[in-house]
Amino acid sequence: MKFNKAYSDLINKLPPSLVNEAWKRLLSRKKSPMTEEEASTINPIVELFLRHEVNRYQKKLKHQRKSWPLDNLSNIYNNETSTKISIDMVNQESQTQDTVPICEHEEEISCRVKKKLDSLSRQLLEFNEKTFDPFMQEITKRIEEQDNANNELRSEIDQQKLLLQETERKLEILKSKSTY
């Protein structure tokens, strides 16, 4: 990668990973790709391309800064030092983000997901109770009725067994008397 030194002010505004990416994109464009010699000379297309990349990068940084709960560093330092420090810190952050994707809000996201799952679980239980509770009550009522009917039949069977045993004893007695 050999951008012309005339573009050093633009290149310094980008992290090295984006500079490398910009170089590759210039050389592999679908419409009129550039040779390394063309890209390394002073060329209005290269300058426009680098300005576009810097603008995109700065917009990305502004978006990230809005989501960061950090105080404005420019209030602490004078404008010149503040700008340099702020740019260096942001470049360092974006380089890290380019190489290692880290979810900054992982705990918050996990908490939201857990709350949503709990809410959905409660809603599902409530829905199931409303939907299936009448069916379960009907099934429970039928089971109790069947259980009561079974208990009555058992009682009747037990009574019939006692009656049968008593009848068998009487029959035994009659048989024993008839044999004498």
Side-chain angles (χ1 to χ4, degrees), residues 47-179:
E47 183 175 357
L48 283 173
F49 180 77
L50 286 173
R51 284 190 192 283
H52 173 74
E53 290 299 307
V54 168
N55 286 338
R56 282 181 56 211
Y57 179 66
Q58 288 176 345
K59 283 181 184 177
K60 177 183 171 189
L61 292 179
K62 281 182 184 178
H63 179 71
Q64 285 177 345
R65 283 186 196 138
K66 286 180 184 176
S67 65
W68 268 131
L70 296 177
D71 293 327
N72 188 356
L73 294 175
S74 62
N75 295 337
I76 300 172
Y77 301 102
N78 65 30
N79 285 343
E80 188 176 295
T81 309
S82 168
T83 305
K84 173 103 173 92
I85 290 172
S86 176
I87 289 172
D88 287 345
M89 288 177 66
V90 172
N91 284 346
Q92 191 175 28
E93 289 173 12
S94 65
Q95 288 172 16
T96 304
Q97 288 175 353
D98 288 345
T99 56
V100 181
I102 296 174
C103 183
E104 298 168 2
H105 308 289
E106 188 173 337
E107 287 183 29
E108 181 183 334
I109 292 169
S110 293
C111 185
R112 280 193 215 162
V113 168
K114 188 175 185 311
K115 284 180 181 178
K116 190 65 176 174
L117 282 173
D118 289 345
S119 172
L120 288 172
S121 176
R122 279 193 305 275
Q123 289 175 1
L124 182 63
L125 284 172
E126 290 171 4
F127 173 79
N128 285 345
E129 283 178 4
K130 288 177 185 174
T131 305
F132 298 110
D133 209 28
F135 295 123
M136 292 303 294
Q137 289 175 356
E138 181 64 30
I139 290 171
T140 303
K141 182 180 172 185
R142 286 183 187 171
I143 288 173
E144 287 174 355
E145 289 173 355
Q146 191 69 39
D147 195 35
N148 288 337
N150 286 345
N151 287 337
E152 287 177 13
L153 285 174
R154 280 191 196 103
S155 176
E156 190 176 325
I157 289 172
D158 288 342
Q159 288 175 3
Q160 291 296 326
K161 281 183 182 177
L162 288 174
L163 187 59
L164 178 64
Q165 288 174 355
E166 191 176 319
T167 307
E168 285 177 342
R169 270 189 295 221
K170 286 181 182 177
L171 190 62
E172 285 276 327
I173 293 173
L174 285 176
K175 274 187 184 177
S176 66
K177 285 185 181 178
S178 67
T179 54

Side-chain angles (χ1 to χ4, degrees), residues 19-37:
V19 174
N20 289 335
E21 187 64 32
W23 179 259
K24 290 176 188 174
R25 286 178 43 211
L26 264 176
L27 298 179
S28 62
R29 294 186 316 175
K30 288 184 181 177
K31 284 189 175 182
S32 64
M34 299 183 106
T35 65
E36 286 193 25
E37 292 98 31

